[in-house]
Amino acid sequence: MFLKNAWYCGGWQTDLSLAKDALLTRKIADEFIVFYRKADGNVVALEDRCCHRQAPLSLGRKEGDNLRCMYHGWKFDSTGLCVEIPGQQEVRNKACVRSFPVVVKNDWIWVWMGDPAIADESLICDSVGPSHPEWDLRTKQVRVNTNYRLEIANLTDLSHVAWVHANSFGGTTAYVDIRPKHTLGERGLHTEFWLRNVPAPEFARHLFPPEARFDFHFDVNVTVPCNFILSFKVFTSSSASEGASEGELILNTFSSQAVTPRDEDEVDYYYSWGATKHSTVPGLVELLIEANEVAFLEDKRMLEGQYERIKHKSDVNPQHYAHDLGPVKMLRLLDTLLAKEQDDEQKNCQE
């Protein structure tokens, strides 16, 4: 169901900056994980389950770089090894909890859910974090009661903007006529397309004269398990019908979005949006993130309703059309990687 040898987002690193002794618990790919910081600032990720009676370690307390379970006092170091059991002198070697490779990159916390020996930091998707000095970005997060495969399909088909987001990001049916260029890679899908001579998005319509028209450029990278990295640029409308716009660049924005499956039925969605500091004006970034929040609640309502009906009648054969190309490519890639991972596991067991 979930790709193990992949980096999953555990949230923004500021989630662990509120207090030096803060413990952050997450459910990721059907595993409970507790995060905390060591004295040197590095992040630790352990299974949020004491090996004694499965009490949540997130209900424990930090002691230096160690974590003590507050059910019976067992203490674990940052590698997950039990180093103290109150009431007995001997600590058996098997007394440990699973630890996970963890990396902080571009203000996101990333955790590797598979074999630690092959954790490759280069597989973490490229993004722009809110601490980047050239960007003015804001962050948010939302929980959605849906399967992450439906999120993948949603993010790799932006024609839905015309309908789901008619009152926020949309305001034009031009999205229906786009023919995106999809390029499939080893672990993701790159998509690019233009919208020509369109009005401002609905949320920003009041900022421009009614007759104002623009060219929009979308450059999207979707990577496994479900990360969506968007460069969105706005130009004054030009006569160009393909290729680069001949208009003036008036807004250069960037959105980093990570959809982390909690389990089969829920996802945590961590996202940002903003603009380069030289292309923004006071209040614009706040307007962008507010519109993003509205749009994601629109997605949430649609995806939760869709998932409810899929579970009700899971044997219905879906019909497809032209804009399903992106979802089909990305989901087939995910299934290929899942099948390969399962084959490798079986071979290792046989050896």
Side-chain angles (χ1 to χ4, degrees):
M1 182 181 299
F2 302 112
L3 198 63
K4 293 181 180 178
N5 292 320
W7 293 98
Y8 287 77
C9 182
W12 301 101
Q13 69 161 331
T14 51
D15 295 338
L16 272 175
S17 300
L18 300 179
K20 66 176 182 179
D21 294 328
L23 300 176
L24 177 67
T25 184
R26 295 281 193 248
K27 191 179 185 185
I28 299 176
D30 214 24
E31 296 280 359
F32 287 103
I33 299 177
V34 58
F35 297 92
Y36 68 92
R37 287 188 186 274
K38 297 194 296 183
D40 61 7
N42 288 322
V43 177
V44 176
L46 300 178
E47 184 176 7
D48 191 9
R49 185 192 309 272
C50 182
C51 61
H52 174 219
R53 294 193 193 170
Q54 300 195 53
L57 292 177
S58 56
L59 296 180
R61 71 183 182 205
K62 280 180 60 181
E63 296 183 3
D65 288 345
N66 301 322
L67 184 57
R68 187 182 294 278
C69 176
M70 293 303 288
Y71 192 14
H72 293 92
W74 290 34
K75 184 166 71 173
F76 302 88
D77 67 14
S78 60
T79 70
L81 182 67
C82 183
V83 294
E84 181 185 328
I85 300 178
Q88 71 177 48
Q89 293 184 343
E90 178 187 2
V91 178
R92 294 181 296 275
N93 291 333
K94 291 184 179 180
C96 63
V97 297
R98 183 182 175 188
S99 65
F100 299 83
V102 61
V103 172
V104 175
K105 181 180 179 182
N106 295 329
D107 300 299
W108 265 338
I109 301 170
W110 295 97
V111 59
W112 180 267
M113 301 300 295
D115 182 356
I118 59 173
D120 183 355
E121 293 185 26
S122 69
L123 297 180
I124 298 176
C125 63
D126 292 327
S127 61
V128 175
S131 66
H132 196 290
E134 296 179 9
W135 292 84
D136 185 6
L137 302 170
R138 301 291 186 275
T139 67
K140 290 279 187 174
Q141 60 193 65
V142 64
R143 182 164 296 173
V144 185
N145 299 317
T146 193
N147 185 274
Y148 80 112
R149 294 176 68 95
L150 298 183
E151 288 281 10
I152 290 175
N154 185 63
L155 292 170
T156 50
D157 167 25
L158 293 183
S159 69
H160 77 274
V161 173
W163 315 110
V164 178
H165 306 305
N167 297 318
S168 56
F169 285 161
T172 175
T173 58
Y175 288 92
V176 175
D177 299 320
I178 61 175
R179 289 297 181 263
K181 178 183 177 182
H182 297 298
T183 304
L184 195 64
E186 292 184 359
R187 296 177 71 87
L189 182 71
H190 175 252
T191 299
E192 183 181 11
F193 65 90
W194 285 87
L195 261 63
R196 305 287 187 180
N197 193 33
V198 293
E202 188 64 33
F203 76 90
R205 194 71 57 84
H206 65 284
L207 299 176
F208 303 96
E211 68 277 8
R213 291 295 183 270
F214 305 92
D215 291 343
F216 296 163
H217 180 244
F218 291 79
D219 190 288
V220 182
N221 280 294
V222 178
T223 60
V224 293
C226 187
N227 308 308
F228 177 89
I229 309 301
L230 167 68
S231 171
F232 172 66
K233 296 179 180 179
V234 179
F235 300 81
T236 55
S237 183
S238 69
S239 59
S241 59
E242 60 182 45
S245 175
E246 297 170 356
E248 177 188 358
L249 175 65
I250 60 174
L251 185 62
N252 184 7
T253 78
F254 201 93
S255 179
S256 298
Q257 304 174 22
V259 181
T260 300
R262 290 173 51 82
D263 50 32
E264 183 181 2
D265 300 317
E266 285 186 315
V267 301
D268 285 324
Y269 202 139
Y270 308 100
Y271 62 93
S272 69
W273 203 15
T276 55
K277 291 182 177 178
H278 73 269
S279 71
T280 188
V281 295
L284 178 60
V285 173
E286 286 75 16
L287 182 64
L288 289 173
I289 200 66
E290 287 173 8
N292 225 357
E293 189 170 14
V294 170
F296 285 173
L297 291 177
E298 293 168 339
D299 278 329
K300 173 181 168 73
R301 182 172 61 250
M302 184 63 71
L303 291 169
E304 289 181 347
Q306 178 191 16
Y307 188 46
E308 184 179 39
R309 281 147 185 80
I310 288 174
K311 289 194 296 182
H312 180 240
K313 291 187 177 180
S314 59
D315 59 343
V316 172
N317 185 28
Q319 302 298 305
H320 295 288
Y321 85 135
H323 287 297
D324 291 328
L325 181 59
V328 167
K329 284 180 174 289
M330 189 63 195
L331 289 170
R332 281 181 178 172
L333 172 62
L334 177 63
D335 288 338
T336 298
L337 293 172
L338 282 166
K340 182 181 184 305
E341 191 169 271
Q342 292 168 1
D343 288 344
D344 290 344
E345 286 181 359
Q346 291 178 355
K347 290 178 182 178
N348 290 335
C349 290
Q350 292 172 357
E351 293 175 356

